[in-house]
């Protein structure tokens, strides 16, 4: 990595039209890029190339409802960069989806793939909808219409979607089938996170949680903490949070608090994660779990614990609550859960924050494994997948620590600068066309 602190760049407010709302995920993502560009001594042109998506598509999706009515939804697919390979990123169904959110998530995917040495660029998709309000049939029709609208820009060599908030392996099966029907033959590698029965990879469904826990345990030990004597709080009890809670408990960490969008629960003795999962499966939430006491959702982030895993949505750790956070280690299971203001506060307090582009990269690593298997039509055992996942995660962790010691930056600054530098070098080697 070449660093020239004497080289100046324009403010991102000038170069990319950055807003002033520091809780906006795109503002947060571009702020991180700006810091990396300054560290690396990039000129205005390179900064602009990396700050803006290569391609964006906005589509209107008419959906015929079960009652015969029609609603129209807005969908997005943003491809931030593909200098190092095809674009890769999840598909999110949420009432909070916006173009700026998808742009930010696509940018973070670029850095994540690069940091973990996965040969992809970043992408992200989303539809502004609350999937809980619609039937399975309605969601299938929505997914198939969305897929048909973005067909020109996706494919195994172009852009490979995967599940995210509000979507799952069935969503990916519908996408794969829609793409395959349009192609005239089955194309398993067009998406990842599929059911194993149609070309998915063993170990994919739990991969993000496993990656988070590999890094969390390593981070605790790095801080001189014995995981078997540590406590943890987890915000989010979906695909990532629930799996992380189970795996941390198996590793001996006492998970004392878990929350979701409906509420949070606490037990000083440690939660029985299996019983909590059964309760959440029956009721749809951790709220009301009889073996624990309720706590306000915002209070969960401020508990006196060793480890905090925000595994829900972006921006939950911000200037309003960062000074109240007592955790010694924060491992970001979600994308973008910490704003720039909160980062500065945590740095001042000596709190170790492991950034999302490393901590939750297990999903994209095993998505890459699935893509490789799909292209080769040769499938690995779950033990092989898990072993390769652990190796990739821990190798990236140790490489990040080594680079941090050389640069004297925070882990996030180091991770972002490392990834940004690799993407810029790939772009320079390829050159501008025409």
């Amino acid at each position: 990595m070449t660093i020239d602190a004497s080289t100046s760049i324009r403010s991102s407010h000038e170069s990319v039209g950055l807003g002033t709302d520091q809780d906006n995920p795109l503002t947060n993502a571009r702020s991180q890029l700006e810091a990396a560009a300054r560290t690396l001594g990039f000129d205005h042109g390179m900064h602009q190339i990396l700050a803006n998506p290569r391609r964006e598509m906005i589509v209107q999706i008419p959906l015929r409802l079960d009652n015969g009515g029609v609603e129209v939804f807005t969908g997005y697919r943003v491809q931030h960069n593909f200098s190092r390979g095809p674009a890769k990123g999840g598909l999110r169904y949420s009432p909070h989806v916006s173009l700026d959110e998808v742009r930010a998530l696509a940018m973070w995917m670029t850095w994540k793939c690069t940091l973990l040495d996965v040969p992809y660029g970043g992408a992200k998709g989303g539809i502004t909808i609350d999937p809980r309000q619609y039937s399975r049939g309605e969601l299938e029709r929505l997914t198939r219409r969305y897929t048909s609208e973005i067909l020109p820009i996706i494919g195994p060599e172009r852009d490979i979607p995967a599940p995210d908030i509000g979507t799952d392996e069935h969503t990916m099966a519908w996408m794969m089938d829609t793409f395959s029907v349009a192609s005239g033959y089955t194309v398993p590698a067009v998406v990842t996170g599929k059911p194993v029965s149609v070309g998915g990879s063993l170990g994919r469904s739990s991969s993000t949680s496993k990656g988070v826990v590999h890094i969390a345990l390593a981070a605790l030990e790095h801080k001189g903490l014995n995981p078997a004597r540590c406590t943890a709080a987890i915000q989010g009890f979906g695909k990532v949070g629930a799996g992380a809670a189970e795996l941390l408990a198996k590793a001996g960490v006492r998970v004392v608090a878990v929350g979701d969008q409906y509420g949070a629960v606490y037990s000083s003795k440690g939660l029985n994660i299996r019983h909590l999962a059964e309760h959440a499966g029956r009721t749809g939430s951790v709220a009301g779990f009889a073996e624990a006491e309720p706590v306000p959702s915002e209070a969960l982030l401020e508990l006196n614990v060793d480890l905090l895993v925000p595994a829900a949505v972006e921006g939950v750790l911000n200037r309003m609550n960062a000074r109240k956070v007592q955790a010694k280690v924060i491992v970001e299971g979600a994308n973008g859960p910490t704003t720039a203001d909160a980062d500065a506060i945590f740095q001042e307090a000596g709190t170790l924050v492991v950034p999302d582009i490393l901590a939750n990269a297990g999903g994209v690593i095993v998505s890459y494994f699935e893509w490789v298997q799909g292209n080769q039509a040769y499938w690995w055992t779950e033990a092989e997948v898990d072993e390769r996942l652990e190796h990739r995660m821990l190798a990236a962790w140790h490489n990040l620590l080594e680079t941090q010691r050389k640069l004297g930056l925070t882990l996030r600054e180091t991770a972002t600068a490392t990834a940004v530098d690799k993407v810029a070098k790939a772009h320079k080697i390829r050159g501008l066309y025409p």
Side-chain angles (χ1 to χ4, degrees):
M1 182 181 300
T2 302
I3 299 174
D4 181 3
S6 65
T7 303
S8 63
I9 61 172
R10 295 186 188 182
S11 163
S12 62
H13 293 270
E14 296 176 21
S15 61
V16 292
L18 191 63
T20 57
D21 181 7
Q22 292 301 309
D23 293 334
N24 181 301
L26 183 59
T27 303
N28 194 24
R30 285 178 169 167
S31 174
Q32 294 167 9
L33 172 61
E34 181 180 12
R38 184 179 296 112
T39 296
L40 296 164
F42 285 173
D43 60 21
H44 174 61
M46 180 56 72
H47 184 206
Q48 278 199 312
I49 288 170
L50 298 177
N52 293 286
R54 288 285 296 272
R55 183 181 293 149
E56 297 179 344
M57 180 175 278
I58 303 173
V59 297
Q60 300 304 313
I61 310 162
L63 170 65
R64 185 171 301 281
L65 304 175
D66 291 343
N67 63 12
V70 173
E71 289 186 35
V72 179
F73 299 90
T74 300
Y76 309 94
R77 190 69 186 176
V78 174
Q79 297 168 347
H80 172 255
N81 189 279
F82 29 82
S83 293
R84 298 181 64 256
K88 185 80 183 77
L91 172 63
R92 173 175 295 194
Y93 289 177
S94 165
H96 307 296
V97 166
S98 68
L99 182 56
D100 273 1
E101 179 188 54
V102 176
R103 286 168 169 164
L105 293 166
M107 183 184 294
W108 283 323
M109 277 299 300
T110 297
W111 314 145
K112 183 184 302 183
C113 292
T114 306
L115 185 67
L116 275 295
D117 200 26
V118 173
Y120 292 138
K124 205 74 175 185
I127 301 176
T128 309
I129 184 175
D130 184 349
R132 298 167 299 181
Q133 305 303 315
Y134 296 85
S135 71
R136 180 181 174 87
E138 289 168 335
L139 293 175
E140 179 177 355
R141 294 193 291 275
L142 178 86
T143 300
R144 290 183 180 276
R145 181 58 183 260
Y146 170 78
T147 305
S148 70
E149 295 288 346
I150 66 168
L151 274 177
I153 65 169
I154 63 172
E157 299 85 20
R158 299 177 182 179
D159 180 358
I160 307 106
D164 196 84
I165 292 172
T167 59
D168 57 20
E169 62 178 15
H170 300 292
T171 314
M172 295 303 105
W174 298 329
M175 291 193 78
M176 185 200 77
D177 183 69
T178 305
F179 185 91
S180 298
V181 168
S183 301
Y185 57 93
T186 299
V187 189
V190 66
V191 297
T192 59
K194 306 177 296 296
V196 173
S197 59
V198 291
S201 175
L202 295 170
R204 173 59 182 88
S205 61
S206 58
S207 57
T208 305
S209 299
K210 288 177 180 176
V212 167
V213 173
H214 287 317
I215 296 300
L217 297 176
L220 289 171
E221 292 174 356
H222 177 69
K223 287 285 284 186
L225 300 169
N226 181 350
R229 298 179 180 177
C230 289
T231 55
I234 300 174
Q235 186 206 40
F237 203 64
K239 292 188 286 283
V240 178
E246 178 184 358
L247 292 168
L248 284 170
K250 285 183 178 179
V253 177
R254 183 157 42 100
V255 180
V256 297
V258 169
D260 58 25
Q261 60 187 315
Y262 303 108
V265 293
Y266 172 85
S267 172
S268 61
K269 297 179 180 179
L271 297 165
N272 185 313
I273 303 302
R274 182 173 63 83
H275 291 176
L276 180 61
E278 291 171 353
H279 169 82
R282 290 193 306 271
T283 67
S285 171
V286 301
F289 182 50
E291 298 177 28
E293 58 184 283
V295 293
S297 296
E298 61 275 10
L300 178 143
L301 299 168
E302 303 164 8
L303 291 171
N304 184 12
V305 293
D306 299 297
L307 172 66
L308 174 63
V309 180
V313 295
E314 59 270 8
V316 297
L317 298 172
N318 51 58
R319 63 185 180 276
M320 303 300 293
N321 61 8
R323 296 191 187 281
K324 301 175 185 177
V325 172
Q326 301 181 67
K328 301 177 181 69
V329 176
I330 299 172
V331 176
E332 295 183 333
N335 293 311
T338 309
T339 67
D341 288 338
D343 255 337
I345 293 169
F346 293 143
Q347 183 179 5
E348 179 185 343
T351 304
L352 178 64
V353 180
V354 184
D356 48 0
I357 62 173
L358 171 61
N360 67 26
V364 76
I365 290 173
V366 179
S367 279
Y368 169 56
F369 295 165
E370 180 178 334
W371 180 75
V372 169
Q373 293 171 79
N375 282 321
Q376 296 179 340
Y378 180 81
W379 308 103
W380 306 345
T381 67
E382 186 167 359
E384 288 174 319
V385 171
D386 288 345
E387 180 183 357
R388 294 175 185 187
L389 169 64
E390 181 177 8
H391 173 75
R392 286 252 184 168
M393 294 297 298
L394 295 181
W397 165 252
H398 292 301
N399 289 338
L400 182 60
L401 289 179
E402 182 178 351
T403 306
Q404 183 198 27
R405 282 193 288 268
K406 295 176 181 177
L407 299 182
L409 303 173
T410 67
L411 283 179
R412 189 186 313 281
E413 291 167 340
T414 304
T416 305
T418 300
V420 168
D421 189 49
K422 289 182 179 179
V423 175
K425 285 178 178 175
H427 180 78
K428 289 177 181 177
I429 290 171
R430 293 181 59 157
L432 286 175
Y433 175 82

